[in-house]
Amino acid sequence: MATSSENKMKIFGSGSLSELFCFRTCTLFLMDYDQNQTIRLLGIGHFMVYLMMHIFYPIMITVCSVDGFHWPLTKDTVIFRMANRTFAFALPGLLYGLQFPPYCEDSLMDALEGLFTNFGHYIKVTGNKGLGFVLKDDDPLLWYRMRLRFEPMANEVLRELGQMPGKSCFNDSGHNPGYLRAIRMSACTKVLEDGMINSGILRQSHYTVNGTNPPNVNEFIGQYMAYASVNAITCMVDTLESAEILTRIGLGYLIKNDVNEASLETVLKKIGFKIWKLNELGVATFTHKLGPAVQEETETMMEKEEKWKAKDRERKNKEASANTTSGVGPSDKGKGLMP
């Protein structure tokens, strides 16, 4: 079911949380940048989009979660819809796929599309003359076909928004794999959420604000509020990745700026909204909390993977047992039996 923020607002020590959308189940995937472009499961379960606003400072952040796995939804997060119940997210160094079950109503997907349009950089890809989507949700090659189509477009848009597209610049020689970056992204998102609305760690001296909001900005957000940039999270993730590289191979590793990097003025014009992100003091303030948060997130993911593997083994055992009982072997499956 979907819900609105009108009856789902909670007040915490230093901020508020408003639930914008939820649905009882969906699946989140990571489309990795490894050599095989592996599709890896990140979460199965309850999906939610919620908005957090600071009580004392005019800043906010929107977050998505699937079964406790979090990622930011920002004006510089690129979102694609190429199938009716399937979305793709492009963030610096990460590609996510979000898929809803067949029984999910079209009206709910359209409502979610409206949220993505308001809070992210949303792109809808339809077929000829705008009729229907270019891909089918039940296509067995859905993620392969989707990646071929949306990744080049996502890279172009990310570059226009001042982000470095493709895999993380710290993903080198087997260090900092995409799966670990996704785990760190979730953990860092949770750390920032806590610091913003609960623990009160986030202070005005920890972030910078750029740009101005358009005159017709959503009244619920408020003309004076600043949206979070995806850099509010990725700067912490990059800090962890760079520390990993420096620990392993020393200070000789240098980060080179992208020659195509957009200027701040160009980025703000492209986004069209006031944005905030952590500055160096802000990152330093949160750094001591990142290690334990990532460790906890890693352990949680390991437990979930064990459960998923156990369920998969159970399913395969049941199928094998059924085949043995019916006299249908693996080579006969799908061919039927002669009377």
Side-chain angles (χ1 to χ4, degrees):
M1 60 178 292
T3 60
S4 70
S5 61
E6 296 176 356
N7 59 355
K8 290 292 185 178
M9 178 180 287
K10 297 180 181 179
I11 304 298
F12 295 86
S14 57
S16 65
L17 184 152
S18 299
E19 185 179 299
L20 303 179
F21 183 96
C22 73
F23 191 76
R24 57 185 174 274
T25 184
C26 73
T27 309
L28 179 67
F29 298 96
L30 171 69
M31 289 173 273
D32 209 342
Y33 285 104
D34 61 2
Q35 186 176 1
N36 298 321
Q37 295 190 333
T38 306
I39 305 297
R40 188 158 185 170
L41 182 62
L42 292 177
I44 305 175
H46 186 258
F47 171 74
M48 186 166 68
V49 182
Y50 51 92
L51 171 70
M52 288 171 292
M53 303 176 69
H54 206 290
I55 291 177
F56 307 110
Y57 313 126
I59 58 175
M60 62 162 214
I61 185 170
T62 312
V63 174
C64 298
S65 71
V66 174
D67 190 28
F69 195 95
H70 294 207
W71 73 98
L73 174 62
T74 66
K75 289 293 183 180
D76 42 0
T77 299
V78 184
I79 309 138
F80 284 83
R81 186 182 182 187
M82 291 186 175
N84 192 37
R85 301 182 306 276
T86 305
F87 299 87
F89 298 78
L91 298 89
L94 291 168
L95 299 175
Y96 294 146
L98 182 69
Q99 189 167 42
F100 292 84
Y103 57 80
C104 185
E105 298 177 0
D106 292 348
S107 59
L108 293 183
M109 294 295 89
D110 292 339
L112 183 57
E113 177 181 299
L115 278 177
F116 290 157
T117 301
N118 289 331
F119 293 100
H121 192 95
Y122 182 77
I123 299 172
K124 185 176 183 178
V125 183
T126 57
N128 294 333
K129 300 180 180 180
L131 300 176
F133 291 95
V134 296
L135 298 173
K136 301 296 183 183
D137 295 283
D138 57 356
D139 185 343
L141 297 177
L142 173 64
W143 296 111
Y144 171 75
R145 299 185 196 280
M146 177 171 279
R147 183 166 191 163
L148 285 179
R149 288 176 176 269
F150 95 87
E151 186 177 0
M153 292 188 288
N155 288 346
E156 181 179 351
V157 176
L158 283 173
R159 192 174 288 110
E160 291 175 354
L161 296 176
Q163 306 294 345
M164 185 177 294
K167 68 179 182 181
S168 168
C169 60
F170 301 105
N171 184 334
D172 181 65
S173 301
H175 304 311
N176 295 313
Y179 182 58
L180 178 55
R181 183 175 179 88
I183 289 176
R184 286 169 169 169
M185 177 71 78
S186 180
C188 290
T189 302
K190 293 177 182 178
V191 166
L192 186 59
E193 291 175 38
D194 177 73
M196 183 173 182
I197 69 168
N198 195 21
S199 67
I201 292 177
L202 183 64
R203 303 300 175 91
Q204 193 168 10
S205 59
H206 295 158
Y207 65 87
T208 58
V209 177
N210 298 102
T212 56
N213 288 331
N216 61 342
V217 68
N218 190 323
E219 292 182 2
F220 174 70
I221 305 303
Q223 176 67 37
Y224 66 99
M225 297 294 291
Y227 292 76
S229 166
V230 70
N231 293 113
I233 310 295
T234 56
C235 61
M236 293 191 288
V237 179
D238 290 344
T239 297
L240 293 171
E241 290 192 341
S242 61
E244 170 78 5
I245 289 291
L246 294 176
T247 298
R248 290 180 179 272
I249 61 179
L251 295 173
Y253 185 86
L254 300 176
I255 306 171
K256 297 181 180 179
N257 294 327
D258 186 352
V259 296
N260 296 318
E261 183 178 359
S263 66
L264 179 59
E265 292 76 14
T266 303
V267 172
L268 292 174
K269 184 176 180 181
K270 183 75 175 179
I271 294 176
F273 286 85
K274 187 188 300 183
I275 61 171
W276 69 271
K277 61 182 179 179
L278 293 177
N279 54 29
E280 291 182 0
L281 178 60
V283 175
T285 301
F286 282 93
T287 297
H288 71 286
K289 287 183 168 291
L290 301 183
V294 171
Q295 180 64 29
E296 181 180 353
E297 192 76 11
T298 302
E299 292 174 357
T300 299
M301 289 302 298
M302 290 175 63
E303 292 176 1
K304 288 182 179 180
E305 285 194 324
E306 286 302 316
K307 291 180 181 178
W308 295 335
K309 289 177 181 178
K311 288 183 178 179
D312 189 51
R313 287 194 296 267
E314 182 181 354
R315 177 185 60 81
K316 290 180 179 178
N317 289 337
K318 287 182 178 180
E319 290 179 352
S321 177
N323 291 337
T324 301
T325 302
S326 63
V328 179
S331 61
D332 300 319
K333 193 172 183 180
K335 296 181 181 179
L337 293 176
M338 294 294 291

